[in-house]
Every structure is written in C-alpha cells, then in structure tokens.
Amino acid sequence: MFDFDGVVVDSESYGLELLRRLMKEQYSVDMTEEDSRHVIGFNKSRTVDFINSAYGLNTTVEEYDACYGKYDNFYVDYEGIKPIDGARECMEKLSSAGFTVGLVSSTQALYILSALNRIGMTDCFDFIVTGDMVENSKPSPEPYLKGLSLAGCNAGDAFVVEDSPTGVSAGKAAGIFTIGFKAASVKLPTPQADIEIPSYEELYDYIVLFK
C-alpha cells in the first residue's frame, strides 16, 4: 500500500512553500521550515490544531480551508504534477507479479482522484483509501486497516510505503512492515520504518525478494 504525497508524486516541496506562504499572508505568521515539515502527512484538522498551539492562533478548519482555497490547488491546478520516476513502472510490475496494489492517503478523494487522472495512474491501483473514507486519519492505523480489509489480506502479508513520520507511524500501528521511501526531493526522517529505500527500482526488487 502506497501513500500518495511524497511517494507517488513529489508534492511535499510545493506543499511546504504553499503552507509557509499561506501562514505569512493569511495569518501574519513566519512559520519555520521545521514546523512546516512537522505537519507533512497531517490532515487539515491536525494541521489546524498544530498551528493554533504553536503560534497562538484560534483558527478553525473551516477558516483554514477558506484561506487555503485562495491558492492554486496542487492536485487540481499545478501544471508540474507528475509521478516520481519509476512509480508507474514499479506498480505495473508488482501487479503483473500478482500483488494487490493500493493507495492510502489522508487527502480527500476529490483531490486524489483528480491528481491520479491528471498523471494517468488511476488504473495502477486495485483499491484507494482517502482521508474522507475513514473517521481517524494517519497516524491512526485506521486507513491501513481499511486497506487490508479491501485487499483481503493480513497485516503480515502486506507492505506499506511512506515518506513521512506520520505515515510510518500509521503503518506500524496497523502491524504492517513499513518502508520509509526516500525518492522525493523532501526527505523526512523516518527512523521508525523497518527499512528505508531510495528508489522505485530498489523498492520493487526488495518487495519481490520477500514475496
């Protein structure tokens, strides 16, 4: 099961820049790079909780969402959106080798499906779990437990591929072997991962070896 941002597409650098710009222009806050990296993998509710606590704000998810809507949406508008090198090829080879391939993201279905259509990878996944399909988002194990249910397999037969500490925590909490993936331009610390892998070529070889 693959995360989307930072795993399928290299979106994290865009997201970091946008968040810091939003905080400056909408809330008059100079958000640190460390704090912007900290919220990677958070859903909007957790992000709002964090910025309220860290910067003494009193905003709501609705207010934050309205502010966010003033900027181009990466999933819908960004012209440079594309898969990370080797993503499509890896997933096609995994499918051909008999693996069930799923996508598990904290982002809303509207945005994920729009992005997948734009990069031509909707057909790469046997199932998709998005943030609005579960009650508790990552780092809760619920998204990955739902993925296991849709895949019809046990945790011991699955792999999770994540780029952020939040995502790795979710995979580990679900009892799944979790890979810290390092192919994106923004490389986050994932010390809890069972292994860290730098490319899709090496990822495919590793998964097939341990099939």
Side-chain angles (χ1 to χ4, degrees):
M1 289 181 280
F2 293 83
D3 181 34
F4 186 73
D5 292 288
V7 175
V8 177
V9 294
D10 192 359
S11 57
E12 306 294 27
S13 58
Y14 179 94
L16 290 174
E17 180 181 348
L18 177 58
L19 177 58
R20 295 179 71 186
R21 180 182 168 197
L22 180 154
M23 291 295 292
K24 178 66 173 179
E25 295 177 358
Q26 304 299 323
Y27 295 102
S28 300
V29 168
D30 289 314
M31 190 176 201
T32 67
E33 182 175 354
E34 181 181 0
D35 282 350
S36 64
R37 285 173 172 261
H38 179 74
V39 301
I40 288 178
F42 284 18
N43 61 11
K44 288 179 181 177
S45 178
R46 290 191 71 212
T47 299
V48 168
D49 286 344
F50 177 79
I51 63 175
N52 281 342
S53 175
Y55 295 102
L57 301 177
N58 191 32
T59 193
T60 65
V61 172
E62 291 75 20
E63 291 170 349
Y64 176 82
D65 204 30
C67 290
Y68 205 89
K70 297 177 182 179
Y71 301 88
D72 285 347
N73 185 286
F74 174 84
Y75 309 95
V76 178
D77 303 310
Y78 182 53
E79 294 182 359
I81 188 172
K82 63 180 180 179
I84 288 176
D85 288 347
R88 170 180 279 279
E89 294 78 6
C90 176
M91 293 172 201
E92 288 177 342
K93 290 195 297 183
L94 287 172
S95 292
S96 296
F99 289 91
T100 299
V101 181
L103 180 72
V104 180
S105 173
S106 294
T107 303
Q108 295 174 346
L110 171 67
Y111 297 140
I112 290 296
L113 294 176
S114 174
L116 287 174
N117 286 332
R118 293 180 66 211
I119 64 176
M121 288 187 63
T122 308
D123 61 342
C124 289
F125 300 100
D126 297 299
F127 64 88
I128 297 173
V129 178
T130 58
D132 44 0
M133 293 173 61
V134 293
E135 184 175 347
N136 300 295
S137 190
K138 303 172 187 177
S140 165
E142 184 180 348
Y144 282 115
L145 294 176
K146 186 172 183 66
L148 290 175
S149 177
L150 292 172
C153 72
N154 298 316
D157 298 321
F159 291 89
V160 160
V161 184
E162 280 278 1
D163 73 309
S164 73
T166 299
V168 168
S169 293
K172 295 289 289 180
I176 305 171
F177 189 94
T178 301
I179 297 167
F181 194 57
K182 304 298 179 182
S185 57
V186 176
K187 294 173 176 57
L188 301 169
T190 53
Q192 289 184 309
D194 292 291
I195 190 172
E196 294 180 334
I197 294 179
S199 70
Y200 269 107
E201 182 178 3
E202 292 183 46
L203 177 67
Y204 174 78
D205 290 343
Y206 185 86
I207 292 175
V208 170
L209 177 66
F210 285 92
K211 181 179 179 181

